[in-house]
Amino acid sequence: MVRVRFAPSPTGYLHVGGARTALFNWLYARHTGGTFILRIEDTDKERSTDASIDEILASLTWLGIDWDEYYRQTDRTDAHLEAAELLMSKGLAYEHEGAWWFRVPTEGQTVVGDELLGDVSYPNDQLKDFAIRRSDGSFLYNFVVVVDDADMGITHIIRGDEHLNNTPKQILLYRGLDRPVPRFLHVPLILGEDRSRLSKRHGDTAVLEYRDRGYLPEALVNFIVRLGWSHGDDEVFSRDELTELFTLEGINKSAAVFEEAKLRWLNQQHLKRADLDRLVDLVEPHVLTRGNVSEEMWGEADLDRLKTGADLLRDRSHTLGDLGWAMEMLFPVPLVAQDEIEITDAQAELLGGLAEILPDVEPFTPDRIETAIRDGLAARGAKLKDIALACRIAVTGRKAGPGLFDILSPIGPDLVAERLLGFAEGKAG
Ligand code: GLU
């Protein structure tokens, strides 16, 4: 039975790199029907904070990563002491200046049989004895991680390759403690677009910041998993598809490159697939934060109208922020005109004419709107193409967007008429 873990040190935010480690382990557990363990490695008392633990838990929860077992390393001090005493009693560790040191063999080599990288050999004489317990009685990472992983029956350790050089020491500890050595898989690091190590400058930002920037959790999950894992040429995966398809064989040997444009594109793909009720809920704060639509206006708006509007406007939105901005056009607030157009007096008159007939269209559906507009224009000897662009800009503030009749429908007859008139008058004036 697969047992894997994510073992963050609570010394800051959960970043993209950490989230990837969590995801690979979680997906592997879910794919195999195994167990995913969350272990907070808080033995470094000076740097660990409760706020960081809260942030990590909130980030994982937002990403939809659930855990089957939860531990805090500091709750396990007795087990750590017992294991350290065992090494002392076997002569495998010794005390020096109050600290306890693990004795590394001076000959031979320790081989890390990595699932991805193959065998990586470390001459033992280069590893040197290392401390397992400080003189203040606290324990060090390489030691506690082994005691915990052994006690928790971890079968596979999947983590970033910055830990590769710790692994031979950890293997020696497993052997010293007479515990089975788990399998290791070290995932190549993530690079920024300039091919240097990913940093905050490149987008290695806190996971929850992506939420605030209007990304969907399933899009971020998709993006992060693709940083180092692939399945043919496929790009867009739902959470269920990922759990179904994820295997360790799909993890890539070469470093992944973080491309912000790809994240935006993936978010657009997931926005298109999102359930509409959920999408409307998710976009609400992004509309309200703009400060034009009040909470009251939002609350009073007809849900079907919001859903229709969101459905039409999501195609051109990369983030919930984009969608929130676009959805303002559904509310009686001044339009942020993205595009402008000059119109003739004749066109202004036609817009005014449409403003008169549209409030009588019942129900205000795309079909009925189309018929009314075409008939109204025909009666005045005009055609749709004479006025379509002006009409669109008057009502939506921009020249591109969903089908004209489609988008007029959720905006509603009164608002459409008001905007047409205001636009026509403004131009005439
Ligand atoms: N607490 C370690 C870290 O955050 C865990 C490393 C490991 O997975 O063994 O880097």
Side-chain angles (χ1 to χ4, degrees), residues 164-179:
L164 180 64
N165 291 339
N166 287 319
T167 308
K169 296 179 188 172
Q170 295 176 10
I171 288 175
L172 289 170
L173 285 167
Y174 280 102
R175 293 196 187 131
L177 292 166
D178 228 351
R179 310 294 290 265

Side-chain angles (χ1 to χ4, degrees), residues 49-116:
T49 65
D50 284 344
S52 168
I53 297 180
D54 292 346
E55 164 93 18
I56 291 168
L57 300 188
S59 304
L60 294 175
T61 303
W62 180 67
L63 289 171
I65 300 177
D66 55 344
W67 48 92
D68 307 310
E69 295 174 24
Y70 175 82
Y71 304 94
R72 279 179 70 152
Q73 207 156 41
T74 42
D75 292 338
R76 297 188 23 85
T77 312
D78 292 350
H80 301 149
L81 185 59
E82 199 180 310
E85 282 170 345
L86 176 66
L87 292 178
M88 291 290 261
S89 71
K90 290 169 90 174
L92 295 173
Y94 59 91
E95 183 167 345
H96 179 65
E97 291 189 4
W100 294 10
W101 296 76
F102 182 74
R103 204 187 296 280
V104 173
T106 49
E107 286 173 10
Q109 54 180 2
T110 301
V111 180
V112 177
D114 190 90
E115 301 280 313
L116 187 68

